Amino acid sequence: MKKNLLMILFIFMFLLGFWMAMSPAEANPWEEVQEPYLGVEQSIGSYANGCLSGGEALPLKGEGYQVIRPSRNRYYGHPNMIAYLSKLAKKTKGFGLDDLMIADISMPRGGNFTKGHSSHQTGLDADIWLSFAPEPLTKDSLESPTAVSMVDLQNYALKRDNWMKEHAILFQVAASEPEVARIFVHPVIKETLCEMAWEDRNWLRKVRPWWGHHYHMHVRLQCPEGSLNCISQNAPPAGDGCGAELISWRPKPVDETKSVVTTTKKKRVKIKPGQCEVVLTQ
Ligand SMILES: [Zn+2]
């Protein structure tokens, strides 16, 4: 009898150990939540350290757009973002563009992803691919679409075979909306836009150079009115941003006489605003 009990205990301990070994070390609670927090619509905290209350799902298909990789459950945003994307897609369709491919916005309650972007946390960031869908994509191609890069990264040059006038229209229409704070894109694409003759160049100020972003653009909206705990960024510097600052992104010839100093950055632990605790747990 005692032997049997010991045997059962042994099996139990074995299974417990096995289960613990198989579970991920640190599950990310923001990725576990499947539904928005049903509170007042609010973007809380900063783009790269915050959360989202009252998030709304972007319908997976709409006039002028399709949501790609829907299984990632990252198609939630502040209602301002959902309204913006719907409006943008209708406008680009009006200009004769094929469907926009909308990628990551935020998770249902925002928060940080385990891998990938550090922003997209407050429902105010969205990625739009620089490929268009002329037809409704099949379930498989929606889940694993082919990314088309606009930049020859090795040579820091535009891939002229991939770049179309439709891309320029997309940037202009997307950046011209007043609720847009910034659009991040590879510096080579910004240079391309700068070289074009535009009647109005004001919107170019919002198009900001950043690495990555050669097969997608990243739209960031202003803090919405009523989101009192939303932390905004300073406005981009005045002007169209096509001058010296943009040139400074170009690769520099390697100076071999300089010694290379490597520094290791300590990873800061970010603490979210207090309201995010409520958004996550209730
Ligand atoms: Zn992004």
Side-chain angles (χ1 to χ4, degrees):
M1 188 66 187
K2 211 174 172 190
K3 230 181 181 179
N4 280 352
L5 263 176
L6 271 173
M7 194 64 181
I8 288 168
L9 192 67
F10 176 77
I11 292 171
F12 175 75
M13 294 301 282
F14 175 78
L15 287 175
L16 186 70
F18 182 72
W19 176 74
M20 281 172 76
M22 292 305 287
S23 331
E26 272 175 72
N28 175 353
W30 296 97
E31 287 178 333
E32 312 275 296
V33 186
Q34 298 298 312
E35 299 289 332
Y37 174 65
L38 300 173
V40 185
E41 53 193 60
Q42 293 245 6
S43 292
I44 302 160
S46 68
Y47 299 101
N49 188 28
C51 60
L52 173 66
S53 163
E56 210 181 286
L58 177 67
L60 296 182
K61 273 192 174 67
E63 201 181 334
Y65 78 87
Q66 299 174 46
V67 171
I68 54 169
R69 298 185 293 189
S71 67
R72 292 157 65 122
N73 210 29
R74 294 176 177 181
Y75 47 84
Y76 293 83
H78 185 282
N80 283 18
M81 176 54 93
I82 305 306
Y84 167 78
L85 291 170
S86 314
K87 176 175 68 175
L88 173 67
K90 274 189 196 141
K91 284 194 179 180
T92 49
K93 190 180 174 191
F95 280 104
L97 272 59
D98 288 330
D99 279 2
L100 303 182
M101 289 161 71
I102 313 275
D104 290 356
I105 312 174
S106 288
M107 294 182 285
R109 299 184 189 191
N112 45 286
F113 302 117
T114 304
K115 273 190 213 148
H117 339 249
S118 57
S119 62
H120 288 255
Q121 295 202 22
T122 56
L124 298 174
D125 291 288
D127 290 337
I128 302 173
W129 278 27
L130 298 175
S131 335
F132 302 99
E135 284 162 15
L137 295 171
T138 62
K139 210 168 165 239
D140 283 350
S141 37
L142 278 173
E143 272 310 325
S144 41
T146 319
V148 181
S149 175
M150 299 296 133
V151 181
D152 172 354
L153 297 172
Q154 280 201 326
N155 294 306
Y156 198 77
L158 188 74
K159 284 189 171 173
R160 300 218 169 256
D161 290 348
N162 294 346
W163 177 260
M164 305 183 291
K165 69 172 193 313
E166 283 77 3
H167 291 115
I169 295 172
L170 170 61
F171 276 97
Q172 187 200 23
V173 177
S176 297
E177 298 296 337
E179 61 269 49
V180 171
R182 280 172 160 77
I183 293 182
F184 298 103
V185 76
H186 193 283
V188 164
I189 298 181
K190 166 100 187 191
E191 282 197 23
T192 307
L193 295 168
C194 284
E195 282 160 12
M196 296 174 71
W198 301 97
E199 225 164 86
D200 165 26
R201 297 180 68 86
N202 282 325
W203 58 272
L204 280 167
R205 180 182 177 190
K206 297 187 201 168
V207 180
R208 309 294 301 155
W210 204 255
W211 301 126
H213 304 93
H214 50 95
Y215 63 89
H216 76 278
M217 65 197 251
H218 173 141
V219 182
R220 172 166 292 173
L221 300 190
Q222 311 268 15
C223 276
E225 230 175 90
S227 287
L228 302 177
N229 297 300
C230 177
I231 303 167
S232 54
Q233 270 178 294
N234 292 335
D240 59 14
C242 293
E245 190 219 325
L246 184 58
I247 307 299
S248 74
W249 286 79
R250 290 185 184 165
K252 293 162 194 66
V254 186
D255 182 354
E256 286 172 2
T257 57
K258 271 189 186 166
S259 58
V260 181
V261 183
T262 48
T263 49
T264 41
K265 264 195 197 167
K266 256 196 180 167
K267 214 179 172 193
R268 268 189 306 137
V269 179
K270 291 183 184 172
I271 301 186
K272 287 202 193 305
Q275 297 100 316
C276 290
E277 178 78 30
V278 179
V279 168
L280 178 64
T281 53
Q282 287 189 8

